[in-house]
Amino acid sequence: MAALVYSLILSTLLAAFALWRRALTVPAGVLAWCFSVIITFAGGLGCFAALAATFVFTVIAGKISGARRESVEVKLHKKTGRRDAVQIICNVGVGTLMLALYALTHRGTFFLAYAAVMAASLADSMASELGVLSRRRPVDIFTFKPAQPGLSGAVSPFGTLCSLIGAALIAAVFALTTGCGITAAALITVLGFVGALVDSALGSALQAKYRCPVCSALTEKPVHCGQAGRREKGLGWVNNDCVNLLNNLITAALAIIVF
């Protein structure tokens, strides 16, 4: 009973903070609250700490990048501003599933897989939020040709370093609050970092990108400058939400194999 009570209280505080920060839409906030209750009840305070750290560090990174990131989002990304319910499902749903499986099976593999998924989530967010501040122009992860800053699949040394730091932060928080050990924390860091690289690879190879007929920019928005763009790369049905979901599933699968 006590576990359910603190799950409800902590999840309410986190969801309220997210809504206060205008980081989530109201439906997304409700869904995030539901996921948080499951995560905290099934995984305990350590798993809640990893979830909260992922959100808080993402908000901090967004504040650091500020106007630079916002200008990139408006120019390139289909979704901007507050995250919606679909984004919550794609970013937190797999981690929630891992802990639901842990509660049903009591297998520690799923417990650690949750941490790896959250590490990959923050690693990707740190690269996206802070990578736009890189002084060096990013390159496509496959072709190594110069790419538009902020475009999915574009990587830079600075963004990659931020990604590694993000994965390490979640691993550290998880290790300190659960006592999982240094070896597990190191593996979570590696898996989270690899997950972020997988996200970039999927973004480059599969995510739809369009050429604007007005300004000739390569963008993730089907409509740019008021005109429908011509799809130049990727699959029409693959957007950033789809990439995030695939990345989390792949990271979870790798973690289950490793652990």
Side-chain angles (χ1 to χ4, degrees), residues 76-214:
L76 298 179
H77 298 168
K78 185 177 180 180
K79 291 184 178 181
T80 59
R82 292 184 290 175
R83 296 194 175 193
D84 59 25
V86 173
Q87 289 171 299
I88 294 300
I89 292 172
C90 294
N91 285 282
V92 188
V94 174
T96 306
L97 175 62
M98 290 299 102
L99 285 183
L101 291 173
Y102 169 68
L104 291 172
T105 65
H106 302 291
R107 293 178 64 90
T109 298
F110 296 118
F111 185 72
L112 295 172
Y114 162 80
V117 170
M118 298 313 297
S121 179
L122 183 60
D124 176 54
S125 294
M126 293 281 279
S128 299
E129 298 285 349
L130 299 177
V132 295
L133 300 177
S134 174
R135 294 183 178 181
R136 294 182 58 179
R137 186 177 179 86
V139 298
D140 183 89
I141 192 170
F142 286 123
T143 66
F144 297 105
K145 293 181 178 179
Q148 181 77 12
L151 195 68
S152 291
V155 296
S156 68
F158 179 71
T160 302
L161 176 61
C162 291
S163 178
L164 180 59
I165 292 173
L169 284 172
I170 295 302
V173 169
F174 190 76
L176 289 172
T177 53
T178 66
C180 67
I182 296 177
T183 301
L187 289 172
I188 289 168
T189 300
V190 172
L191 286 164
F193 180 62
V194 169
L197 294 178
V198 169
D199 186 275
S200 294
L202 293 173
S204 174
L206 300 181
Q207 188 169 339
K209 298 179 183 66
Y210 304 86
R211 183 69 66 180
C212 176
V214 177

Side-chain angles (χ1 to χ4, degrees), residues 1-124:
M1 187 64 179
L4 179 59
V5 170
Y6 73 65
S7 298
L8 292 171
I9 293 173
L10 290 175
S11 298
T12 300
L13 291 174
L14 183 61
F17 177 70
L19 291 172
W20 174 68
R21 291 293 308 171
R22 298 182 62 82
L24 305 176
T25 63
V26 173
V30 173
L31 185 59
W33 178 84
C34 294
F35 282 166
S36 179
V37 170
I38 295 171
I39 287 169
T40 310
F41 183 72
L45 291 175
C47 291
F48 173 80
L51 174 66
T54 300
F55 174 74
V56 170
F57 284 126
T58 298
V59 170
I60 292 173
K63 292 293 289 183
I64 293 173
S65 56
R68 180 78 173 270
R69 173 187 53 82
E70 290 175 2
S71 66
V72 168
E73 285 186 345
V74 170
K75 186 184 299 183
L76 298 179
H77 298 168
K78 185 177 180 180
K79 291 184 178 181
T80 59
R82 292 184 290 175
R83 296 194 175 193
D84 59 25
V86 173
Q87 289 171 299
I88 294 300
I89 292 172
C90 294
N91 285 282
V92 188
V94 174
T96 306
L97 175 62
M98 290 299 102
L99 285 183
L101 291 173
Y102 169 68
L104 291 172
T105 65
H106 302 291
R107 293 178 64 90
T109 298
F110 296 118
F111 185 72
L112 295 172
Y114 162 80
V117 170
M118 298 313 297
S121 179
L122 183 60
D124 176 54

